[in-house]
Amino acid sequence: MKILCIGRNYRDHAMELGNTVPTEPVVFCKPDSAILQPNFPFTIPPWSNDIHHEVEWVIKIGRVGKFIEPEFAWSYVDSMTVGIDFTARDLQSKLKENGLPWEKAKGFDGSAVLGTWIPGPISQGHHSIALEKNGHLVQAGNTVDFIFPLEELIAHVSQYFTLKTGDLLFTGTPAGVGPVSPGDELEAKLDGKSLLRLRIR
Ligand code: ZN
């Protein structure tokens, strides 16, 4: 199983980090060891002082495919949830400055957090995601604001990576990313439904 992630898929988030709006999807991977065990707290790694939350709409792939055409993309979607792509922003900035790959800043243990899965078939309409930190709304987004819609993301990534049953796709984060500290409580929602609660330590 692999975890594919999209960077900068919302204009407002690309701008808040001072990045240009991409002309094709920004793609990176996390190893399967990045998945945080359900109901475990997230532990801030000792080598970072700036771990950011990125709430994202996550879909699970239901069958094998390569060179998938956008019009058939939805038939490869099995289920959906909301997740958090934890990012060591301090390390990522250093790696980016030096033109180095992001993996250590994005794929470390526990950096992929998943909510409860909503089984398919899922609505091909728009979906809203939100993240609360200690009871305050910090991130809110809607897939209607994607720079690249899901069909295009699946078509694009499947030109490079064969999609397999059980693979995950993190679809990018809206504006409002920010740091977490020990003791914080995060709660993530999909279409208004709470699917993920997480304690930071
Ligand atoms: Zn992300």
Side-chain angles (χ1 to χ4, degrees):
M1 189 274 277
K2 60 185 167 296
I3 308 167
L4 297 169
C5 305
I6 305 300
R8 304 172 202 164
N9 201 24
Y10 292 82
R11 228 167 239 100
D12 56 355
H13 171 63
M15 283 160 61
E16 78 177 340
L17 292 186
N19 293 311
T20 51
V21 173
T23 53
E24 65 171 53
V26 174
V27 183
F28 59 94
C29 302
K30 291 177 189 263
D32 59 3
S33 50
I35 293 179
L36 187 70
Q37 292 306 306
N39 304 316
F40 270 56
F42 172 81
T43 304
I44 295 177
W47 40 261
S48 176
N49 293 311
D50 197 24
I51 298 288
H52 276 200
H53 54 74
E54 295 192 354
V55 71
E56 309 200 1
W57 184 50
V58 182
I59 62 113
K60 190 186 282 179
I61 296 296
R63 62 193 181 102
V64 176
K66 187 164 174 69
F67 291 112
I68 299 165
E69 296 291 339
E71 57 264 47
F72 303 121
W74 275 97
S75 68
Y76 291 83
V77 177
D78 172 75
S79 46
M80 67 174 179
T81 189
V82 64
I84 300 173
D85 163 23
F86 276 118
T87 304
R89 197 70 74 199
D90 44 0
L91 177 56
Q92 187 195 28
S93 299
K94 208 158 74 183
L95 294 168
K96 276 162 84 173
E97 260 168 42
N98 293 297
L100 295 171
W102 299 351
E103 272 82 355
K104 289 196 289 185
K106 283 282 198 183
F108 58 89
D109 288 358
S111 63
V113 187
L114 298 164
T116 305
W117 289 98
I118 308 265
I122 64 176
S123 159
Q124 295 186 23
H126 301 301
H127 297 280
S128 68
I129 52 170
L131 184 72
E132 292 181 8
K133 184 168 94 172
N134 304 323
H136 299 284
L137 183 70
V138 286
Q139 287 193 270
N142 191 297
T143 58
V144 72
D145 296 317
F146 274 5
I147 297 171
F148 304 102
L150 183 66
E151 299 88 323
E152 281 182 44
L153 295 178
I154 288 176
H156 183 79
V157 298
S158 73
Q159 292 181 53
Y160 300 89
F161 306 101
T162 296
L163 298 184
K164 293 185 170 180
T165 306
D167 285 351
L168 305 181
L169 180 64
F170 280 66
T171 58
T173 196
V177 300
V180 292
S181 312
D184 283 348
E185 300 266 4
L186 300 182
E187 181 175 6
K189 294 179 182 174
L190 173 59
D191 296 329
K193 219 170 161 183
S194 178
L195 297 181
L196 170 59
R197 280 172 178 278
L198 182 68
R199 174 181 278 278
I200 310 296
R201 39 170 240 198

